[in-house]
Coordinates of all heavy atoms in Angstrom, one line a residue:
A74 N 163.0 96.6 301.9 CA 164.3 97.2 301.7 C 164.0 98.8 301.7 O 163.8 99.4 300.7 CB 164.9 96.8 300.3
Q75 N 164.0 99.3 302.9 CA 163.6 100.7 303.2 C 164.4 101.7 302.4 O 163.9 102.5 301.6 CB 163.7 100.9 304.7 CG 163.2 102.3 305.1 CD 161.7 102.5 305.0 OE1 160.9 101.5 305.2 NE2 161.3 103.7 304.6
E76 N 165.7 101.6 302.6 CA 166.6 102.6 302.0 C 166.5 102.6 300.4 O 166.3 103.6 299.8 CB 168.0 102.4 302.4 CG 168.4 103.2 303.6 CD 169.9 103.0 304.0 OE1 170.7 103.0 303.1 OE2 170.1 102.9 305.2
A77 N 166.7 101.4 299.9 CA 166.7 101.3 298.4 C 165.4 101.7 297.8 O 165.3 102.4 296.8 CB 167.1 99.9 298.0
S78 N 164.3 101.4 298.5 CA 163.0 101.7 298.0 C 162.7 103.2 298.1 O 162.1 103.8 297.1 CB 161.9 100.9 298.8 OG 162.1 99.5 298.7
A79 N 163.1 103.8 299.2 CA 162.9 105.2 299.3 C 163.7 106.0 298.2 O 163.3 106.9 297.6 CB 163.3 105.7 300.7
R80 N 164.9 105.4 298.0 CA 165.8 106.0 296.9 C 165.1 105.9 295.5 O 165.1 106.9 294.8 CB 167.1 105.3 296.9 CG 168.3 106.1 296.3 CD 169.6 105.6 296.7 NE 169.8 104.2 296.5 CZ 170.1 103.3 297.5 NH1 170.3 103.8 298.7 NH2 170.3 102.1 297.2
L81 N 164.5 104.8 295.3 CA 163.9 104.6 294.0 C 162.7 105.5 293.8 O 162.5 106.1 292.8 CB 163.4 103.1 293.8 CG 162.7 102.8 292.5 CD1 163.7 102.9 291.3 CD2 162.1 101.3 292.6
A82 N 161.9 105.6 294.9 CA 160.7 106.5 294.9 C 161.2 107.9 294.6 O 160.6 108.7 293.8 CB 160.0 106.4 296.2
A83 N 162.3 108.3 295.2 CA 162.8 109.7 295.0 C 163.3 109.9 293.6 O 163.0 110.9 292.9 CB 164.0 110.0 296.0
Q84 N 163.9 108.9 293.0 CA 164.4 109.0 291.6 C 163.3 109.1 290.6 O 163.5 109.7 289.6 CB 165.2 107.7 291.2 CG 166.6 107.6 291.7 CD 167.2 106.2 291.5 OE1 166.6 105.4 290.8 NE2 168.4 106.0 292.0
L85 N 162.1 108.6 291.0 CA 161.0 108.5 290.0 C 159.9 109.5 290.3 O 158.9 109.5 289.7 CB 160.4 107.1 290.0 CG 161.4 106.0 289.5 CD1 160.8 104.6 289.6 CD2 161.9 106.3 288.1
R86 N 160.2 110.4 291.3 CA 159.1 111.3 291.7 C 158.7 112.4 290.7 O 157.7 113.0 290.8 CB 159.4 112.0 293.1 CG 160.5 113.0 293.0 CD 160.7 113.7 294.4 NE 162.0 114.3 294.3 CZ 163.0 114.2 295.2 NH1 162.8 113.4 296.2 NH2 164.1 114.8 295.0
H87 N 159.6 112.5 289.6 CA 159.3 113.5 288.6 C 158.2 113.0 287.6 O 157.6 113.8 286.8 CB 160.5 113.8 287.8 CG 161.1 112.6 287.1 ND1 161.8 111.6 287.7 CD2 160.9 112.1 285.8 CE1 162.1 110.6 286.8 NE2 161.6 110.9 285.7
L88 N 157.9 111.7 287.7 CA 156.9 111.1 286.7 C 155.5 111.6 287.0 O 155.2 111.9 288.2 CB 157.0 109.6 286.8 CG 158.3 109.0 286.2 CD1 158.3 107.5 286.5 CD2 158.4 109.3 284.7
P89 N 154.6 111.7 286.0 CA 153.3 112.3 286.2 C 152.6 111.5 287.4 O 151.9 112.1 288.2 CB 152.6 112.1 284.9 CG 153.7 112.0 283.9 CD 154.9 111.4 284.6
L90 N 152.6 110.2 287.4 CA 152.1 109.4 288.5 C 153.3 108.8 289.2 O 153.8 107.7 288.7 CB 151.1 108.3 288.0 CG 149.7 108.8 287.6 CD1 148.9 107.7 287.1 CD2 149.0 109.6 288.7
A91 N 153.8 109.4 290.2 CA 155.0 108.9 290.8 C 154.7 107.6 291.6 O 153.7 107.5 292.2 CB 155.6 109.9 291.8
P92 N 155.6 106.6 291.5 CA 155.3 105.3 292.2 C 155.4 105.6 293.7 O 156.2 106.4 294.2 CB 156.5 104.4 291.8 CG 157.2 105.1 290.6 CD 156.8 106.5 290.7
R93 N 154.6 104.8 294.4 CA 154.5 105.0 295.8 C 155.0 103.7 296.5 O 154.6 102.6 296.3 CB 153.0 105.2 296.3 CG 152.6 106.5 295.6 CD 151.2 106.9 296.1 NE 150.8 108.1 295.3 CZ 149.6 108.6 295.3 NH1 148.7 108.1 296.1 NH2 149.4 109.7 294.5
F94 N 155.9 104.0 297.4 CA 156.5 102.9 298.2 C 155.7 102.6 299.5 O 155.4 103.6 300.2 CB 158.0 103.2 298.6 CG 158.6 102.4 299.6 CD1 158.5 101.0 299.6 CD2 159.3 103.0 300.7 CE1 159.1 100.2 300.6 CE2 159.8 102.2 301.7 CZ 159.7 100.8 301.7
M95 N 155.4 101.4 299.8 CA 154.8 101.0 301.0 C 155.7 100.0 301.7 O 156.0 98.9 301.1 CB 153.4 100.4 300.8 CG 152.4 101.4 300.2 SD 150.8 100.7 299.9 CE 150.0 101.0 301.5
H96 N 156.1 100.2 302.9 CA 156.9 99.2 303.6 C 155.9 98.1 304.0 O 154.9 98.3 304.6 CB 157.5 99.8 304.9 CG 158.5 98.9 305.5 ND1 158.1 97.8 306.3 CD2 159.8 98.8 305.4 CE1 159.2 97.2 306.7 NE2 160.3 97.7 306.2
C97 N 156.3 96.8 303.6 CA 155.4 95.7 303.9 C 156.3 94.4 304.0 O 157.0 94.1 303.0 CB 154.4 95.5 302.8 SG 153.3 94.1 303.0
D98 N 156.3 93.8 305.1 CA 156.9 92.5 305.2 C 156.0 91.4 304.8 O 155.0 91.1 305.5 CB 157.4 92.2 306.7 CG 158.2 91.0 306.7 OD1 158.2 90.2 305.8 OD2 158.9 90.7 307.8
L99 N 156.2 90.8 303.6 CA 155.2 89.9 303.0 C 155.2 88.6 303.8 O 154.3 87.7 303.5 CB 155.6 89.6 301.6 CG 155.5 90.9 300.7 CD1 156.4 90.7 299.5 CD2 154.1 91.1 300.3

Side-chain angles (χ1 to χ4, degrees):
Q75 182 69 36
E76 266 181 42
S78 299
R80 200 162 51 238
L81 180 66
Q84 277 170 10
L85 300 177
R86 70 173 164 235
H87 63 282
L88 292 171
L90 286 178
R93 299 186 185 173
F94 165 50
M95 298 178 89
H96 190 279
C97 179
D98 185 349
L99 296 157

